[in-house]
Amino acid sequence: MLDKMTNRLDFHGNALILRAERQRIIASNIANADTPGYAARDFKFSDALSAATSSASAPGVTRLATAGSVSTQGATNPRHIPLSTVSTAGDARGRLGYAVHSQPALDNNTVDLDRERANFADNSVRYEATLRFINGSAKTMLSAIQGQ
């Protein structure tokens, strides 16, 4: 019964984590716009979200299957609950791809600032929308619990 109430929050929670990770990647691309030889990175959000929501997670532990790898570093006891980390670099499940090279550059930099700025703004708006969905769901559950 509780699962039916929290599934929507879990979905939006995973989406929020992925949006934050994508924002970090886009910001890194913008920051390295003048770095010679830098290859712009990105990941396909829809594929990452579908993989994150289809993965089975242990009770009480949210594991993001696409954008994170479960880390047991620093665990002093094997019975400790592993923490979920968001690191797409080098993770086979959360594949970071390379952005499509649209403008040739003499220094082999593939960052297109116009495209990255547009992606940054779009992702920011979608991040805010996800926060509003989570807030609305929490308010709805709270009013249902209070009987209003």
Side-chain angles (χ1 to χ4, degrees):
M1 176 72 174
L2 186 61
D3 289 346
K4 291 179 182 179
M5 291 174 43
T6 60
N7 280 344
R8 187 171 180 191
L9 287 176
D10 290 342
F11 173 80
H12 288 300
N14 285 339
L16 198 64
I17 291 169
L18 286 171
R19 289 272 173 221
E21 180 65 13
R22 186 158 189 252
Q23 198 76 350
R24 186 191 65 77
I25 292 167
I26 294 169
S28 176
N29 289 344
I30 292 171
N32 287 297
D34 294 329
T35 305
Y38 181 80
R41 305 297 302 261
D42 204 354
F43 64 92
K44 193 167 184 181
F45 182 81
S46 59
D47 292 347
L49 185 60
S50 64
T53 56
S54 66
S55 68
S57 60
V61 178
T62 302
R63 292 185 185 169
L64 193 57
T66 57
S69 60
V70 177
S71 172
T72 57
Q73 294 176 350
T76 56
N77 190 321
R79 294 179 294 169
H80 287 170
I81 297 173
L83 297 176
S84 170
T85 60
V86 178
S87 68
T88 55
D91 188 6
R93 294 172 292 171
R95 295 186 181 113
L96 263 182
Y98 291 94
V100 178
H101 187 68
S102 61
Q103 296 179 1
L106 294 175
D107 62 355
N108 291 330
N109 187 310
T110 63
V111 176
D112 180 5
L113 274 177
D114 293 332
R115 181 180 59 214
E116 295 299 329
R117 287 183 189 134
N119 286 343
F120 192 87
D122 178 63
N123 197 57
S124 297
V125 169
R126 292 175 188 263
Y127 184 89
E128 180 68 27
T130 304
L131 279 176
R132 289 179 188 257
F133 282 128
I134 291 173
N135 191 23
S137 296
K139 283 183 180 180
T140 301
M141 278 194 269
L142 184 61
S143 66
I145 290 170
Q146 292 175 345
Q148 295 177 352

